[in-house]
Amino acid sequence: KFLFFGMMFVLIPGQILTGILLYDLYRTMPIIEKLGGLRVIDGLHLTFAYLLMSAIVIHTYFHTLKKYGGKPNFQRDPE
């Protein structure tokens, strides 16, 4: 649940906002400068992307181990 909260309320909005700032540098450069410069915004954007991709990999890994929640969907056939 913590991972879901972090993704939905921190990572995805952060990725969208930094992407909007990086989309048109000519218009958003004053905002970027107030937030620490282009390197900071670009670094945040890249960090958010890496964290989102790692969350997808971790989610898939836990799901394959059936430790993410729930029971396996298959049952043993009666003999």
Side-chain angles (χ1 to χ4, degrees):
K1 292 182 180 184
F2 179 73
L3 179 65
F4 177 76
F5 178 79
M7 282 181 56
M8 296 307 286
F9 296 108
V10 177
L11 293 180
I12 293 175
Q15 182 76 7
I16 291 170
L17 290 175
T18 56
I20 289 170
L21 289 174
L22 292 171
Y23 181 72
D24 189 4
L25 292 176
Y26 181 76
R27 290 184 185 175
T28 59
M29 192 53 78
I31 300 169
I32 291 172
E33 291 298 327
K34 288 179 183 177
L35 294 174
L38 186 58
R39 282 188 167 191
V40 172
I41 300 300
D42 188 39
L44 282 173
H45 191 71
L46 188 62
T47 302
F48 288 145
Y50 282 140
L51 289 173
L52 284 170
M53 292 308 295
S54 66
I56 291 170
V57 170
I58 290 169
H59 176 82
T60 305
Y61 175 70
F62 283 161
H63 188 67
T64 58
L65 291 178
K66 300 297 179 191
K67 289 185 179 180
Y68 190 75
K71 296 180 181 178
N73 290 332
F74 59 89
Q75 293 181 356
R76 191 173 191 177
D77 291 333
E79 296 178 10

